Amino acid sequence: MHLNMKIFHSLLAIVLLVSRCAGDDGKVITASHSATRDVQWTCPDPDAIFPCVCYDGDLDCSNVESEDQLAQIMGSSFPNPNFRSLTIDGNDNLRVLGAGDLGNTTYTWLDIATSALEEIEEGALSGSYATISKIFLRRNKLTSFPWEDMSLMTHLSYLNLFGNNISGFSNLSSDTLKFLDLSHNPLVTVEATAFSALPALMSISLANIGLTDVLPGTFVGLPNLCTVSIQGNYVAHLPEGTVQFPNCSFGFLDLSRNKISSVAVNAIHGFPHGGDIILWNNQLTVLEEIVWRPLLQSPAYLFLENNPLLCGCDIAWLVRNPILLGRIDTFAKCSSGELLVHLDPAIFDQC
């Protein structure tokens, strides 16, 4: 029964992350261009855009040889300058996407991946402020992004900057952004107010960014937030008011592969309809009732594999309650090697 619970919730979490956010390579998997599937798209004369190619409104400029060539192509007079998407994949020639380089073309989807791109200038996407909904800039060499432009993009819902060289950013502002991936960037620190002006935000990943501390309030006050990942960092303590999921049908919090040894009371708040809290591969030694009972009763499911739990009287409240114990990872072990689910409740009678 316990094993089935773990498998079910792990698979559910994976499905939610894939559908809401990003996979291991940071690429969002979703129905392609679903919001614009009924629009009739046209392509320009192939000779006018070579070496770019176009099919049904999807423009691929992966083979452009320079910034100047891209600007020259986009500056052409097209019968219809409105495209569904622009893709540049595996290009080692384009290092700067400058203001004006895209001419008067517009897009709903921008995908630049595994390229030498280092900079996107402020205003480079100005022609698409009213149309762009998804921006994927994965595994490039970006050191920054035109953050101030986000508030001007009135339909932006996805921003994926997975695997770049971004070391900092200002407080973000967008009324429409739902999914944000800043993972695998050398950010190290994140201000407590960084996301407070993102009221539509549902999912955020800060995995593998070198984070050492999470400031109180960082993931609080966001009415639609349901998924947070800060896995693969160096966080040792979760202070009060770290994460709040106020309205979720299913909350998902991934704290795995950190150095967490202590969690404050009310550090994690919410889970009104349940969810998963992943704490694999941390340094927890005790499970304080005042911290974890409210969450397990919500009911959240707690995954604790590879933590050096001492299994003293601090877990008597848990082991003696089969319902709450049933919401614990079945592979969670005491530092002595015994599985929590196999502990005899009678040994805690003297606690």
Side-chain angles (χ1 to χ4, degrees):
M1 176 177 176
H2 296 304
L3 180 58
N4 290 339
M5 179 275 290
K6 174 174 179 175
I7 294 173
F8 172 76
H9 283 275
S10 296
L11 289 174
L12 180 56
I14 291 169
V15 169
L16 284 168
L17 279 177
V18 167
S19 62
R20 293 173 178 170
C21 193
D24 290 340
D25 66 350
K27 183 161 184 175
V28 170
I29 303 171
T30 186
S32 178
H33 316 302
S34 59
T36 57
R37 62 191 174 200
D38 296 327
V39 177
Q40 297 299 312
W41 303 97
T42 60
C43 285
D45 182 343
D47 292 336
I49 61 172
F50 184 84
C52 299
V53 294
C54 179
Y55 176 75
D56 193 25
D58 294 318
L59 188 60
D60 189 325
C61 290
S62 299
N63 294 322
V64 292
E65 297 176 357
S66 67
E67 290 92 347
D68 290 342
Q69 186 183 57
L70 179 66
Q72 181 179 6
I73 293 169
M74 297 303 185
S76 302
S77 178
F78 298 148
N80 182 357
N82 305 309
F83 295 89
R84 178 164 48 190
S85 68
L86 173 62
T87 297
I88 301 174
D89 190 14
N91 186 287
D92 291 330
N93 303 315
L94 185 66
R95 285 178 166 76
V96 178
L97 185 61
D101 284 355
L102 298 182
N104 66 342
T105 59
T106 72
Y107 308 92
T108 64
W109 185 308
L110 175 67
D111 191 344
I112 303 177
T114 322
S115 79
L117 186 68
E118 299 173 2
E119 180 184 1
I120 297 178
E121 292 183 355
E122 185 175 345
L125 304 175
S126 59
S128 298
Y129 283 163
T131 59
I132 199 154
S133 63
K134 299 178 177 66
I135 298 176
F136 305 124
L137 300 167
R138 300 162 290 108
R139 296 189 183 277
N140 300 295
K141 298 181 180 179
L142 287 170
T143 58
S144 65
F145 180 82
W147 308 109
E148 298 298 325
D149 290 2
M150 287 177 57
S151 62
L152 304 174
M153 300 175 186
T154 55
H155 290 83
L156 182 65
S157 59
Y158 288 77
L159 179 59
N160 188 323
L161 293 163
F162 176 100
N164 283 281
N165 295 324
I166 297 170
S167 59
F169 59 92
S170 58
N171 290 351
L172 307 184
S173 178
S174 170
D175 290 334
T176 59
L177 188 69
K178 296 180 180 180
F179 306 100
L180 176 63
D181 190 343
L182 294 169
S183 57
H184 292 264
N185 281 279
L187 291 168
V188 181
T189 60
V190 174
E191 295 297 324
T193 56
F195 313 116
S196 59
L198 300 175
L201 192 65
M202 297 172 60
S203 175
I204 182 168
S205 178
L206 298 174
N208 298 94
I209 64 169
L211 192 67
T212 57
D213 297 288
V214 182
L215 300 179
T218 303
F219 306 109
V220 172
L222 299 168
N224 295 292
L225 189 65
C226 291
T227 299
V228 170
S229 173
I230 57 172
Q231 60 106 353
N233 286 292
Y234 303 98
V235 176
H237 173 68
L238 297 183
E240 182 178 1
T242 298
V243 179
Q244 181 183 48
F245 292 155
N247 301 309
C248 298
S249 59
F250 184 92
F252 184 79
L253 176 60
D254 189 350
L255 303 164
S256 62
R257 296 192 298 112
N258 277 276
K259 297 181 180 297
I260 297 170
S261 60
S262 62
V263 178
V265 177
N266 291 324
I268 306 168
H269 183 69
F271 291 89
H273 305 290
D276 287 348
I277 302 173
I278 312 298
L279 276 159
W280 294 322
N281 298 299
N282 277 283
Q283 298 297 319
L284 287 172
T285 57
V286 298
L287 294 176
E288 297 171 283
E289 182 175 7
I290 194 171
V291 173
W292 299 110
R293 178 184 281 274
L295 290 164
L296 292 173
Q297 288 179 330
S298 61
Y301 289 81
L302 188 58
F303 296 83
L304 292 164
E305 186 177 358
N306 290 333
N307 280 271
L309 299 170
L310 297 177
C311 297
C313 284
D314 66 284
I315 64 166
W317 66 274
L318 178 61
V319 176
R320 297 168 73 173
N321 187 321
I323 294 176
L324 297 186
L325 187 61
R327 295 170 186 160
I328 298 293
D329 177 4
T330 58
F331 295 115
K333 292 182 180 180
C334 305
S335 57
S336 61
E338 191 168 5
L339 292 170
L340 260 65
V341 295
H342 289 170
L343 291 174
D344 182 356
I347 66 176
F348 297 97
D349 286 348
Q350 303 303 314
C351 288

